[in-house]
Amino acid sequence: MADTRFVNQKMVGTSVVPDEAIPLVEGEGRFLNDIRLPGMYHAAFLRSQHAHARILSIDAGAARQMPGVIQVMTGKEMLGKVDPFESMPNRFSGGQSTQHWLAVEKVRFVGEAVCVVVAEDRAIAEDAIDLIEVEYDPLPAVTDPRLGEKDDAPLVHETCPNNYLIKRDYERGNVDEAFEKAHLVVKRAFSIGRKQALCLEGRGCVAAYRESAFTLTMWMSHQLPYVVRHYLAKHLRLGEHEVRVIAPHTGGGFGQKASIYPEEFVCAHLALGLRRPVKWVEDRLENMVASTHARDQQIELAAAVDDQGRILALDSNVWVDVGAYSTYLWSAGMEPLQTAGLMPGPYQIEALRYVTRGVATNKTPVGPYRAVGRPSASASLELLIDDAARRLDIDPVEMRLRNLIPGEKMPYRNANNLVHDNVNYVPCLKLTAAKAEYDKLRAEQAQASDNGKLRGIGVACFAELTGLGTSTAVGPGTLLQPGRDAVTLRLETTGVLTIAAALPSQGQRIMTAMTQVAADELGIKLSDITGLTNDTAMAPYGFGTFASRTAVFGSGAVIKAARELRRRILALAAHLMEVPETDLTIVDSVVQTVDRAKTMTLREMTDQSYFSAKHIPEDLNPGFEVTSFYDPKFGSFAAGAHTVVVDVDPQTGHVEIVRYVAAEDVGTIINPAVVEGQIIGGIAQGIGEALMEELVYDADGQPKTVTLADYTIPSALEIPTIELHHANTPSAALGGFKGCGEGSIIGAVGAVACAVADALNRNGGDITAFPATPERVLTGLGVLPTDS
């Protein structure tokens, strides 16, 4: 008989370690997979192998009897104990979805969690998973959004007629009149495949709880620690003060780790019941089928154009395959609304109409991924502009120059009701064309190729709205509407400055940027500044890292707090040094007179402030901890223009990128190396989207690309040298900052797509479906049949 004992009135299995042995913050700052807590259990999930089926029965008897297994839990056993994920109603048409943390009556995609096993180690838990028998009644699967919206299609959710999780009709300006008066009407179809963020580190968590000792504590690979805390408390029926979330070093996020998932919440529920730490880290197969997907869009776009090449109106139809559930927190509206709504990009569009749909299918749910919706919106429009330019015999760069929003027209309100200001659209395009020697490239292209390959040149311009504040909604129906963020600056007794903010990094060096801004504002040495960005128990409330916002919010709040802290430092130093405050400055962590006749280190000053306070007037010693909130309200537009040269082999369909020139406006640059890394990283991901990456499902909803042997991504061999240039103009935000984390992927997808289409056009071909795999390229050239 297994050795059992009671711990805090709860019976647990073998190898029990008393609660007192569980540390509170061990592992903080490490990568999640490195966290080891004494007495820690491990969780594994049984996942559905059916895309759509009723659950008839679950037999977990054998698994429960397996040595080392602590607990097996099904969805029915969780009913009534926790609150499931309910999508919010939106003001447009579309139904709502309910996602149980473990499937209850039905499974709706391959990879959906059905049972969880808790065991002494991961291997035992996974072995026990194999002993669970589930009887399913398979149902017809929906795998195509355009078929799924038909009246006779099977329903993924009975609450969603026509499988619409969201549908919106929008019109602004006189679209019909523009098309009637147009010199040219150009139409184009565009589609882009399903994508995976493919973070180097998958999702995972460690949940721990000790009654009367510390709150429910979650170490979690996530971008939004305070948001996770809020929803953990809500769904576990706790107060927020009873939950602590720590985001250790995170190996990539890209938006995939900004959503709320069932697995981590299941682990929290288990930890509360078992009074023991519970750990789960997904493997790559789980990541491919259970972590959110992205894109998977079909677009039909039409433009009304006058005889000078100016776009008079846009009219689009958008279908997005949003998967089985409205992704919790961001909703199923993210991709559909942003794809259609942000279609005008950096161009002057006076009239806009669209119908956009998020159609539920029996696939993994779609969630936010770098530059949500904009890469496909931009690429489809850029390809359409090239089509119009050919038909009007206007050079593609000239066509864009005639339509971009010029600086003299700013602030400019586009047909999507967004205001563009302080952004260099035209200078970016002129800069990339000059640096690429665009006219020379076209002249070379006109000459016969000596290698038999088709040369293509693509140019794409983009607008990226960054630093969204409280006056700009992320999306209707979205649970999270971000507000202001806060930063705390605290000057320690040692003279070291601590920066605390709930803005965890996933590789962007967020604290590096805030440290540099604080150093510039305060005159403190970089080596005298430390930071904390990952712990809800130690940082002020903030919404986290997403949507290219941290440089704007975090550094803006640092500036506000630093100005107040500097005022306090100089006021006290003036008293202690017996000199006028106006004669003082701070250089390298030393307060000194302008002539350097008198000096006092910050350590000396804080020592007197804290330990000799009786000699200091109270109004001059208010303390050296300042918390400031910052809300830029409307956000800031970043911009860019990319030029790409490709060679296409008409025999194999292989696409080689010969040259890549990017010009970007990212506002005031804090750290050039960080900015360069963000932009080049986005370009690399965009190249993968345009040429290689695609999650493929069969007609029954079975995923066919579940390993990195099938889901191909670019390596260093496929990424060319990126020639990066800047045409920056400061934003209206504090410091003049803009975000730079997402824009470049928009430009990359569009520019590469245009280059490939341009190359195929030289042989009378075209391409409308991306990524531009060799098969699709050969189909576009007529070498392969269209149904290949």
Side-chain angles (χ1 to χ4, degrees), residues 353-606:
R353 179 168 61 207
Y354 62 77
V355 180
T356 188
R357 314 150 183 85
V359 183
T361 65
N362 294 114
K363 298 178 186 176
T364 303
V366 160
Y369 173 51
R370 200 171 195 166
V372 177
R374 276 85 86 198
S376 46
S378 175
S380 60
L381 179 56
E382 296 295 329
L383 287 162
L384 193 75
I385 290 174
D386 279 356
D387 287 351
R390 289 189 193 99
R391 293 176 62 177
L392 292 171
D393 196 25
I394 300 174
D395 180 82
V397 168
E398 176 60 28
M399 179 88 175
R400 287 165 171 80
L401 286 171
R402 295 180 187 184
N403 286 283
L404 286 170
I405 303 169
E408 58 268 22
K409 284 193 175 183
M410 296 181 185
Y412 179 88
R413 186 177 297 275
N414 222 329
N416 56 9
N417 208 33
L418 293 175
V419 177
H420 299 249
D421 202 2
N422 303 302
V423 56
N424 281 337
Y425 295 129
V426 172
C428 280
L429 178 54
K430 289 183 175 180
L431 181 59
T432 186
K435 294 297 184 180
E437 298 180 289
Y438 176 78
D439 292 338
K440 182 179 178 182
L441 290 177
R442 286 295 182 192
E444 292 173 349
Q445 183 189 33
Q447 300 174 4
S449 169
D450 58 3
N451 60 9
K453 295 182 178 179
L454 304 174
R455 174 63 56 92
I457 301 169
V459 177
C461 305
F462 67 86
E464 171 63 9
L465 185 55
T466 72
L468 300 179
T470 54
S471 296
T472 306
V474 171
T478 299
L479 285 171
L480 178 64
Q481 295 295 338
R484 55 189 185 167
D485 271 65
V487 168
T488 296
L489 300 185
R490 182 174 63 249
L491 196 60
E492 312 287 359
T493 59
T494 56
V496 170
L497 180 73
T498 296
I499 304 174
L503 297 167
S505 174
Q506 299 85 49
Q508 308 96 320
R509 304 304 296 263
I510 291 167
M511 183 50 68
T512 297
M514 290 194 290
T515 296
Q516 287 184 235
V517 172
D520 287 347
E521 289 289 325
L522 289 168
I524 297 178
K525 292 188 294 184
L526 289 172
S527 58
D528 288 340
I529 302 176
T530 186
L532 175 74
T533 61
N534 64 350
D535 190 341
T536 61
M538 303 178 74
Y541 200 97
F543 283 86
T545 305
F546 63 97
S548 299
R549 69 194 299 274
T550 52
V552 179
F553 278 82
S555 298
V558 165
I559 290 173
K560 287 185 67 177
R563 289 173 179 173
E564 170 59 20
L565 184 58
R566 182 184 179 90
R567 184 195 66 77
R568 295 183 189 184
I569 290 170
L570 294 179
L572 178 57
H575 170 78
L576 296 174
M577 297 170 70
E578 299 180 335
V579 296
E581 186 178 330
T582 54
D583 289 351
L584 293 177
T585 187
I586 309 171
V587 179
D588 290 337
S589 302
V590 176
V591 183
Q592 61 186 37
T593 55
V594 176
D595 60 5
R596 300 184 182 180
K598 290 188 175 183
T599 63
M600 175 179 286
T601 68
L602 290 178
R603 180 168 188 160
E604 293 169 337
M605 189 204 68
T606 53

Side-chain angles (χ1 to χ4, degrees), residues 32-82:
L32 185 113
N33 208 36
D34 296 329
I35 296 176
R36 302 287 189 271
L37 301 183
M40 184 165 65
Y41 292 148
H42 295 259
F45 290 88
L46 172 66
R47 300 185 181 278
S48 171
Q49 296 180 351
H50 292 270
H52 197 196
R54 291 188 183 89
I55 300 173
L56 300 181
S57 65
I58 299 175
D59 184 357
R64 288 189 168 103
Q65 295 301 314
M66 185 175 177
V69 170
I70 307 302
Q71 187 171 7
V72 179
M73 184 172 287
T74 67
K76 283 189 176 181
E77 291 167 343
M78 293 188 72
L79 282 178
K81 299 176 183 177
V82 298

